[in-house]
Amino acid sequence: MSIITPNKFALLVEDIVRKKRVSYMDAVIMYCAENHIDPSTTKSMINKQLKEKIAYEATNLNLMKEKVAKLPI
């Protein structure tokens, strides 16, 4: 396997999201499964933009504590 940069990894994940219509979190897991990579080792491969997209998804799914207060509706 060649060395993969964070930007290239983000492009590969974006491609999976578009083609398979899955979430960013699922796309990272799919990429890891296809390439026999442990998902816990991808931390250094995730760039800022991809991290923000994953965090946005996780917040919407109530998987993260919110850092910004929201007014109750």
Side-chain angles (χ1 to χ4, degrees), residues 5-33:
T5 65
N7 289 334
K8 186 174 180 180
F9 182 72
L11 290 174
L12 292 168
V13 170
E14 290 276 353
D15 191 47
I16 294 170
V17 169
R18 273 193 303 277
K19 287 182 179 175
K20 298 188 179 183
R21 297 178 186 225
V22 295
S23 69
Y24 286 93
M25 291 180 277
D26 289 337
V28 170
I29 299 299
M30 286 177 155
Y31 179 84
C32 290

Side-chain angles (χ1 to χ4, degrees), residues 4-71:
I4 187 166
T5 65
N7 289 334
K8 186 174 180 180
F9 182 72
L11 290 174
L12 292 168
V13 170
E14 290 276 353
D15 191 47
I16 294 170
V17 169
R18 273 193 303 277
K19 287 182 179 175
K20 298 188 179 183
R21 297 178 186 225
V22 295
S23 69
Y24 286 93
M25 291 180 277
D26 289 337
V28 170
I29 299 299
M30 286 177 155
Y31 179 84
C32 290
E34 290 170 3
N35 293 286
H36 309 290
I37 299 172
D38 182 13
S40 65
T41 63
T42 61
K43 182 178 179 182
S44 64
M45 295 169 39
I46 297 176
N47 67 8
K48 183 179 177 182
Q49 291 82 13
L50 185 56
K51 188 180 213 178
E52 288 172 355
K53 290 175 183 178
I54 292 171
Y56 178 76
E57 281 182 350
T59 302
N60 286 339
L61 294 171
N62 295 322
L63 298 174
M64 292 178 54
K65 292 181 181 179
E66 292 185 42
K67 293 181 181 176
V68 179
K70 285 187 177 179
L71 295 174

